[in-house]
Amino acid sequence: MKFYQKELNLKPKNRGFHLITEEVLAVISEIKNISIGQLHVFIKHTSASLTINENADATVRKDFESHFNHLVPESMPYFIHTYEGLDDMPAHIKNSLLGCSIQIPITNGSLNLGVWQGIYLCEHRNSGGSRSLVLTAFGK
Amino acid sequence: MKFYQKELNLKPKNRGFHLITEEVLAVISEIKNISIGQLHVFIKHTSASLTINENADATVRKDFESHFNHLVPESMPYFIHTYEGLDDMPAHIKNSLLGCSIQIPITNGSLNLGVWQGIYLCEHRNSGGSRSLVLTAFGK
Amino acid sequence: MKFYQKELNLKPKNRGFHLITEEVLAVISEIKNISIGQLHVFIKHTSASLTINENADATVRKDFESHFNHLVPESMPYFIHTYEGLDDMPAHIKNSLLGCSIQIPITNGSLNLGVWQGIYLCEHRNSGGSRSLVLTAFGK
C-alpha cells in the first residue's frame, strides 16, 4: 500500500477557467508507482474550485466563465455578504457548484482520464492570488 | 494501513446551510492516527447535501439558501414529481448540484482544510428530519 | 488492504438521467470482500456525468432533465464553442455541475447507500454513444 502527498502552490491566475493537468502531474510523479489507486486533488479555498472538463479548445473554458457568471450574477438583490467585494459571494457559490476536490482513478502508473479530460483550476475572484492544492495519490 | 468508519446521526435542522465541522470531528477522532490519508463524508439522503465553504460569516450561509432557491425555484411549470410537496423536487436537484459526499485530505493527524473552509450540511427540505452521515477515514 | 478495478462500457442511452446502480454492482461484485472502504466510480467523458439521487420514481429523472435544460439552455448568445452542435457546450457545463465521479462508502461487503439512493448516468448529448466508467473499490 502506497500513500504520497504533496502541496502545490499555483501562481495567481486571472478570473476564469484554466487547464492545470500538467502542473499537477509534474508535482506528483509518484503516480507511476501505483498500479491501481486514486489521485485526490483538493483546493484549500472557498472562492476557487476544481473540475474536470474538455482539454482541447480554449473556447470551452471561455464559455464556462460566461455561463457561471450567468448562473451566479454579481449584485443579486438578496445578497447580504457584500463587504468583501461584488465578486466574493458569487465566488463562494460557484465554488460549491463545482466543488473543491476531484478524484481520478490511477491505472498502471497513470491517471485513467478520458482522451478529452483535463483538470481545471476555476478562479472565481478578480484577484484571487496564489492557490494551494493538496495532492494525495494512493493505491497498490 | 488504517481504516475507520462511523455513522453520525444529525439532529433535525432547519432548511438552510449549517456548519457541522465540529460535529464531524467529534465522531471520528481517529484521524489523529493517520499521517497521510483522506476523510470521506457521505450523506445517505437525496434531499440534503454536503459541501465545503466559508466557515466564518453566517451571512454567507444565508446567501447560499437565497441563491439556491433562485437556481431551483419551487413550482417550476414542468415539474411532474410534485406529490411529495413543493420543496421535494427542488431538494433533489439541489442535492445533485452540491453533491452527497466530500473528500478532505488528512495530513499529520488533522484535516488539511484551508483556514476558511468548513463542512456544511445543506438541508433542502422544510422538515427534513434527522440526517445520517457515514464517515470513513483511511490512510497510513 | 484490497484494491479492485474494472472498466464498464455502458451501451448508448438517450439524453436524460438513467439509473445504473445494478449495472455497476454486477461488474464489481468484489465489494463483498471489503468490510470498510470506498467505491469510486469515474466517467471518462466531458459531456455525460454521474450523480446519486432518488431511485424509485422515474418522474424525478424527467424533472432533472427539464431543470438542467433550464439551468443550461442551448443557444446562449455568448457561447463561442458551437461547432460541435447546440447540445455540446451545455453538455460540458452540465458535466461539471454534476461531476464526473462519485464516492460511496462500503460497509460489511455492501454499498452503504441510503434506502432511496441510486447511481445516475446523466447523458447530456442527443447522441452520446457508449460511455466508459472506471470502478475502483478499495478497503480492508
Side-chain angles (χ1 to χ4, degrees), chain B residues 77-138:
Chain B
Y78 45 74
F79 282 159
I80 310 169
H81 185 82
T82 54
Y83 66 88
E84 294 187 71
L86 291 179
D87 60 329
D88 180 66
M89 193 59 224
H92 290 310
I93 295 173
K94 292 170 181 173
N95 175 256
S96 280
L97 285 172
L98 288 160
C100 63
S101 82
I102 55 176
Q103 294 73 224
I104 302 171
I106 297 172
T107 306
N108 297 331
S110 299
L111 293 187
N112 197 344
L113 289 166
V115 176
W116 302 105
Q117 288 181 309
I119 303 172
Y120 286 15
L121 183 284
C122 320
E123 177 55 72
H124 305 305
R125 297 299 308 261
N126 295 327
S127 300
S130 177
R131 299 299 193 174
S132 296
L133 311 186
V134 182
L135 319 180
T136 310
F138 60 91

Side-chain angles (χ1 to χ4, degrees), chain C:
Chain C
M1 185 63 194
K2 294 151 189 165
F3 263 89
Y4 307 103
Q5 194 171 72
K6 300 286 175 75
E7 287 227 13
L8 169 57
N9 295 301
L10 296 170
K11 286 180 192 161
K13 294 187 194 299
N14 292 334
R15 178 167 163 169
F17 292 72
H18 306 272
L19 263 180
I20 60 163
T21 316
E22 294 309 315
E23 285 181 88
V24 166
L25 286 173
V27 166
I28 191 139
S29 60
E30 294 86 350
I31 289 170
K32 68 177 182 295
N33 301 325
I34 297 175
S35 60
I36 298 179
Q38 181 184 107
L39 174 66
H40 174 219
V41 187
F42 183 84
I43 187 165
K44 297 176 69 169
H45 301 273
T46 62
S47 57
S49 54
L50 296 171
T51 193
I52 290 174
N53 220 287
E54 208 262 16
N55 61 12
D57 189 337
T59 60
V60 171
R61 301 193 291 283
K62 287 186 180 168
D63 289 351
F64 262 89
E65 176 64 14
S66 300
H67 198 68
F68 274 84
N69 291 336
H70 171 80
L71 285 171
V72 195
E74 299 185 357
S75 306
M76 295 302 281
Y78 45 73
F79 281 160
I80 311 169
H81 184 82
T82 53
Y83 65 88
E84 295 188 70
L86 290 179
D87 60 329
D88 181 65
M89 193 58 225
H92 290 310
I93 295 172
K94 292 169 181 173
N95 175 256
S96 280
L97 285 171
L98 288 160
C100 63
S101 82
I102 54 176
Q103 294 72 227
I104 302 171
I106 298 171
T107 307
N108 297 330
S110 300
L111 294 187
N112 198 343
L113 288 166
V115 175
W116 302 106
Q117 288 182 308
I119 304 173
Y120 285 14
L121 182 284
C122 322
E123 177 56 71
H124 305 305
R125 297 299 308 262
N126 296 328
S127 300
S130 178
R131 299 299 193 174
S132 296
L133 310 186
V134 182
L135 319 180
T136 310
F138 59 91
K140 73 165 184 178

Side-chain angles (χ1 to χ4, degrees), chain A residues 50-66:
Chain A
L50 296 171
T51 194
I52 291 174
N53 219 286
E54 208 263 15
N55 61 12
D57 190 337
T59 59
V60 170
R61 301 193 290 282
K62 286 187 180 168
D63 289 351
F64 262 90
E65 175 65 14
S66 300

